[in-house]
mmCIF file with all atom_site columns, all heavy atoms in Angstrom:
data_model
loop_
_atom_site.group_PDB
_atom_site.id
_atom_site.type_symbol
_atom_site.label_atom_id
_atom_site.label_alt_id
_atom_site.label_comp_id
_atom_site.label_asym_id
_atom_site.label_entity_id
_atom_site.label_seq_id
_atom_site.pdbx_PDB_ins_code
_atom_site.Cartn_x
_atom_site.Cartn_y
_atom_site.Cartn_z
_atom_site.occupancy
_atom_site.B_iso_or_equiv
_atom_site.pdbx_formal_charge
_atom_site.auth_seq_id
_atom_site.auth_comp_id
_atom_site.auth_asym_id
_atom_site.auth_atom_id
_atom_site.pdbx_PDB_model_num
ATOM 1  N N   . LEU B 1 302 ? 8.559  8.206  -20.166 1.00 98.00 ? 419 LEU B N   1
ATOM 2  C CA  . LEU B 1 302 ? 10.041 8.121  -20.126 1.00 98.00 ? 419 LEU B CA  1
ATOM 3  C C   . LEU B 1 302 ? 10.667 9.074  -21.143 1.00 98.00 ? 419 LEU B C   1
ATOM 4  O O   . LEU B 1 302 ? 11.717 9.686  -20.896 1.00 98.00 ? 419 LEU B O   1
ATOM 5  C CB  . LEU B 1 302 ? 10.488 6.682  -20.377 1.00 98.00 ? 419 LEU B CB  1
ATOM 6  C CG  . LEU B 1 302 ? 10.156 5.677  -19.265 1.00 98.00 ? 419 LEU B CG  1
ATOM 7  C CD1 . LEU B 1 302 ? 10.507 4.245  -19.715 1.00 98.00 ? 419 LEU B CD1 1
ATOM 8  C CD2 . LEU B 1 302 ? 10.896 6.062  -17.987 1.00 98.00 ? 419 LEU B CD2 1
ATOM 9  N N   . GLU B 1 303 ? 10.053 9.143  -22.298 1.00 98.00 ? 420 GLU B N   1
ATOM 10 C CA  . GLU B 1 303 ? 10.556 10.026 -23.349 1.00 98.00 ? 420 GLU B CA  1
ATOM 11 C C   . GLU B 1 303 ? 10.500 11.488 -22.887 1.00 98.00 ? 420 GLU B C   1
ATOM 12 O O   . GLU B 1 303 ? 11.479 12.242 -22.957 1.00 98.00 ? 420 GLU B O   1
ATOM 13 C CB  . GLU B 1 303 ? 9.698  9.826  -24.609 1.00 98.00 ? 420 GLU B CB  1
ATOM 14 C CG  . GLU B 1 303 ? 10.305 10.335 -25.895 1.00 98.00 ? 420 GLU B CG  1
ATOM 15 C CD  . GLU B 1 303 ? 11.738 9.921  -26.139 1.00 98.00 ? 420 GLU B CD  1
ATOM 16 O OE1 . GLU B 1 303 ? 12.074 8.718  -25.881 1.00 98.00 ? 420 GLU B OE1 1
ATOM 17 O OE2 . GLU B 1 303 ? 12.516 10.782 -26.547 1.00 98.00 ? 420 GLU B OE2 1
ATOM 18 N N   . LYS B 1 304 ? 9.379  11.868 -22.333 1.00 97.00 ? 421 LYS B N   1
ATOM 19 C CA  . LYS B 1 304 ? 9.169  13.236 -21.843 1.00 97.00 ? 421 LYS B CA  1
ATOM 20 C C   . LYS B 1 304 ? 10.071 13.545 -20.666 1.00 97.00 ? 421 LYS B C   1
ATOM 21 O O   . LYS B 1 304 ? 10.502 14.690 -20.456 1.00 97.00 ? 421 LYS B O   1
ATOM 22 C CB  . LYS B 1 304 ? 7.685  13.428 -21.449 1.00 97.00 ? 421 LYS B CB  1
ATOM 23 C CG  . LYS B 1 304 ? 6.762  13.528 -22.640 1.00 97.00 ? 421 LYS B CG  1
ATOM 24 C CD  . LYS B 1 304 ? 6.804  14.941 -23.188 1.00 97.00 ? 421 LYS B CD  1
ATOM 25 C CE  . LYS B 1 304 ? 6.048  15.048 -24.454 1.00 97.00 ? 421 LYS B CE  1
ATOM 26 N NZ  . LYS B 1 304 ? 6.023  16.462 -24.934 1.00 97.00 ? 421 LYS B NZ  1
ATOM 27 N N   . ALA B 1 305 ? 10.279 12.532 -19.828 1.00 97.00 ? 422 ALA B N   1
ATOM 28 C CA  . ALA B 1 305 ? 11.034 12.716 -18.582 1.00 97.00 ? 422 ALA B CA  1
ATOM 29 C C   . ALA B 1 305 ? 12.490 13.138 -18.847 1.00 97.00 ? 422 ALA B C   1
ATOM 30 O O   . ALA B 1 305 ? 13.127 13.714 -17.966 1.00 97.00 ? 422 ALA B O   1
ATOM 31 C CB  . ALA B 1 305 ? 11.003 11.454 -17.737 1.00 97.00 ? 422 ALA B CB  1
ATOM 32 N N   . LYS B 1 306 ? 12.961 12.871 -20.060 1.00 96.00 ? 423 LYS B N   1
ATOM 33 C CA  . LYS B 1 306 ? 14.311 13.276 -20.402 1.00 96.00 ? 423 LYS B CA  1
ATOM 34 C C   . LYS B 1 306 ? 14.487 14.797 -20.302 1.00 96.00 ? 423 LYS B C   1
ATOM 35 O O   . LYS B 1 306 ? 15.584 15.322 -20.162 1.00 96.00 ? 423 LYS B O   1
ATOM 36 C CB  . LYS B 1 306 ? 14.643 12.795 -21.823 1.00 96.00 ? 423 LYS B CB  1
ATOM 37 C CG  . LYS B 1 306 ? 14.847 11.302 -21.928 1.00 96.00 ? 423 LYS B CG  1
ATOM 38 C CD  . LYS B 1 306 ? 15.159 10.914 -23.379 1.00 96.00 ? 423 LYS B CD  1
ATOM 39 C CE  . LYS B 1 306 ? 15.143 9.405  -23.540 1.00 96.00 ? 423 LYS B CE  1
ATOM 40 N NZ  . LYS B 1 306 ? 14.901 8.986  -24.911 1.00 96.00 ? 423 LYS B NZ  1
ATOM 41 N N   . GLU B 1 307 ? 13.344 15.484 -20.449 1.00 94.00 ? 424 GLU B N   1
ATOM 42 C CA  . GLU B 1 307 ? 13.416 16.961 -20.403 1.00 94.00 ? 424 GLU B CA  1
ATOM 43 C C   . GLU B 1 307 ? 13.535 17.506 -19.009 1.00 94.00 ? 424 GLU B C   1
ATOM 44 O O   . GLU B 1 307 ? 13.675 18.687 -18.768 1.00 94.00 ? 424 GLU B O   1
ATOM 45 C CB  . GLU B 1 307 ? 12.140 17.526 -21.024 1.00 94.00 ? 424 GLU B CB  1
ATOM 46 C CG  . GLU B 1 307 ? 11.910 17.157 -22.505 1.00 94.00 ? 424 GLU B CG  1
ATOM 47 C CD  . GLU B 1 307 ? 10.466 17.454 -22.970 1.00 94.00 ? 424 GLU B CD  1
ATOM 48 O OE1 . GLU B 1 307 ? 9.753  18.212 -22.297 1.00 94.00 ? 424 GLU B OE1 1
ATOM 49 O OE2 . GLU B 1 307 ? 10.096 16.870 -24.001 1.00 94.00 ? 424 GLU B OE2 1
ATOM 50 N N   . VAL B 1 308 ? 13.382 16.625 -17.998 1.00 96.00 ? 425 VAL B N   1
ATOM 51 C CA  . VAL B 1 308 ? 13.353 17.079 -16.611 1.00 96.00 ? 425 VAL B CA  1
ATOM 52 C C   . VAL B 1 308 ? 14.688 16.797 -15.934 1.00 96.00 ? 425 VAL B C   1
ATOM 53 O O   . VAL B 1 308 ? 15.165 15.654 -15.939 1.00 96.00 ? 425 VAL B O   1
ATOM 54 C CB  . VAL B 1 308 ? 12.220 16.373 -15.819 1.00 96.00 ? 425 VAL B CB  1
ATOM 55 C CG1 . VAL B 1 308 ? 12.111 16.957 -14.421 1.00 96.00 ? 425 VAL B CG1 1
ATOM 56 C CG2 . VAL B 1 308 ? 10.900 16.458 -16.571 1.00 96.00 ? 425 VAL B CG2 1
ATOM 57 N N   . ASP B 1 309 ? 15.289 17.827 -15.345 1.00 92.00 ? 426 ASP B N   1
ATOM 58 C CA  . ASP B 1 309 ? 16.524 17.661 -14.591 1.00 92.00 ? 426 ASP B CA  1
ATOM 59 C C   . ASP B 1 309 ? 16.273 16.920 -13.311 1.00 92.00 ? 426 ASP B C   1
ATOM 60 O O   . ASP B 1 309 ? 15.218 17.026 -12.741 1.00 92.00 ? 426 ASP B O   1
ATOM 61 C CB  . ASP B 1 309 ? 17.134 19.041 -14.236 1.00 92.00 ? 426 ASP B CB  1
ATOM 62 C CG  . ASP B 1 309 ? 17.640 19.750 -15.444 1.00 92.00 ? 426 ASP B CG  1
ATOM 63 O OD1 . ASP B 1 309 ? 17.890 19.099 -16.468 1.00 92.00 ? 426 ASP B OD1 1
ATOM 64 O OD2 . ASP B 1 309 ? 17.716 20.997 -15.362 1.00 92.00 ? 426 ASP B OD2 1
ATOM 65 N N   . LYS B 1 310 ? 17.273 16.225 -12.848 1.00 93.00 ? 427 LYS B N   1
ATOM 66 C CA  . LYS B 1 310 ? 17.287 15.656 -11.451 1.00 93.00 ? 427 LYS B CA  1
ATOM 67 C C   . LYS B 1 310 ? 16.203 14.618 -11.223 1.00 93.00 ? 427 LYS B C   1
ATOM 68 O O   . LYS B 1 310 ? 15.883 14.330 -10.076 1.00 93.00 ? 427 LYS B O   1
ATOM 69 C CB  . LYS B 1 310 ? 17.100 16.785 -10.415 1.00 93.00 ? 427 LYS B CB  1
ATOM 70 C CG  . LYS B 1 310 ? 18.304 17.697 -10.333 1.00 93.00 ? 427 LYS B CG  1
ATOM 71 C CD  . LYS B 1 310 ? 18.031 18.638 -9.158  1.00 93.00 ? 427 LYS B CD  1
ATOM 72 C CE  . LYS B 1 310 ? 19.295 19.469 -8.823  1.00 93.00 ? 427 LYS B CE  1
ATOM 73 N NZ  . LYS B 1 310 ? 18.999 20.319 -7.709  1.00 93.00 ? 427 LYS B NZ  1
ATOM 74 N N   . LEU B 1 311 ? 15.623 14.096 -12.266 1.00 95.00 ? 428 LEU B N   1
ATOM 75 C CA  . LEU B 1 311 ? 14.614 13.065 -12.075 1.00 95.00 ? 428 LEU B CA  1
ATOM 76 C C   . LEU B 1 311 ? 15.313 11.721 -12.062 1.00 95.00 ? 428 LEU B C   1
ATOM 77 O O   . LEU B 1 311 ? 16.003 11.357 -13.012 1.00 95.00 ? 428 LEU B O   1
ATOM 78 C CB  . LEU B 1 311 ? 13.544 13.174 -13.189 1.00 95.00 ? 428 LEU B CB  1
ATOM 79 C CG  . LEU B 1 311 ? 12.201 12.545 -12.891 1.00 95.00 ? 428 LEU B CG  1
ATOM 80 C CD1 . LEU B 1 311 ? 11.534 13.269 -11.771 1.00 95.00 ? 428 LEU B CD1 1
ATOM 81 C CD2 . LEU B 1 311 ? 11.338 12.649 -14.159 1.00 95.00 ? 428 LEU B CD2 1
ATOM 82 N N   . VAL B 1 312 ? 15.134 10.945 -10.970 1.00 93.00 ? 429 VAL B N   1
ATOM 83 C CA  . VAL B 1 312 ? 15.732 9.604  -10.918 1.00 93.00 ? 429 VAL B CA  1
ATOM 84 C C   . VAL B 1 312 ? 14.618 8.606  -11.064 1.00 93.00 ? 429 VAL B C   1
ATOM 85 O O   . VAL B 1 312 ? 13.702 8.581  -10.271 1.00 93.00 ? 429 VAL B O   1
ATOM 86 C CB  . VAL B 1 312 ? 16.468 9.379  -9.552  1.00 93.00 ? 429 VAL B CB  1
ATOM 87 C CG1 . VAL B 1 312 ? 17.236 8.052  -9.552  1.00 93.00 ? 429 VAL B CG1 1
ATOM 88 C CG2 . VAL B 1 312 ? 17.424 10.568 -9.250  1.00 93.00 ? 429 VAL B CG2 1
ATOM 89 N N   . ILE B 1 313 ? 14.735 7.749  -12.133 1.00 94.00 ? 430 ILE B N   1
ATOM 90 C CA  . ILE B 1 313 ? 13.708 6.760  -12.316 1.00 94.00 ? 430 ILE B CA  1
ATOM 91 C C   . ILE B 1 313 ? 14.353 5.392  -12.018 1.00 94.00 ? 430 ILE B C   1
ATOM 92 O O   . ILE B 1 313 ? 15.397 5.051  -12.534 1.00 94.00 ? 430 ILE B O   1
ATOM 93 C CB  . ILE B 1 313 ? 13.150 6.840  -13.743 1.00 94.00 ? 430 ILE B CB  1
ATOM 94 C CG1 . ILE B 1 313 ? 12.480 8.183  -13.956 1.00 94.00 ? 430 ILE B CG1 1
ATOM 95 C CG2 . ILE B 1 313 ? 12.141 5.707  -14.023 1.00 94.00 ? 430 ILE B CG2 1
ATOM 96 C CD1 . ILE B 1 313 ? 12.150 8.542  -15.376 1.00 94.00 ? 430 ILE B CD1 1
#
Side-chain angles (χ1 to χ4, degrees):
Chain B
L419 290 174
E420 197 48 44
K421 286 279 172 177
K423 289 178 188 158
E424 301 166 15
V425 185
D426 290 340
K427 292 186 169 181
L428 203 62
V429 186
I430 297 168

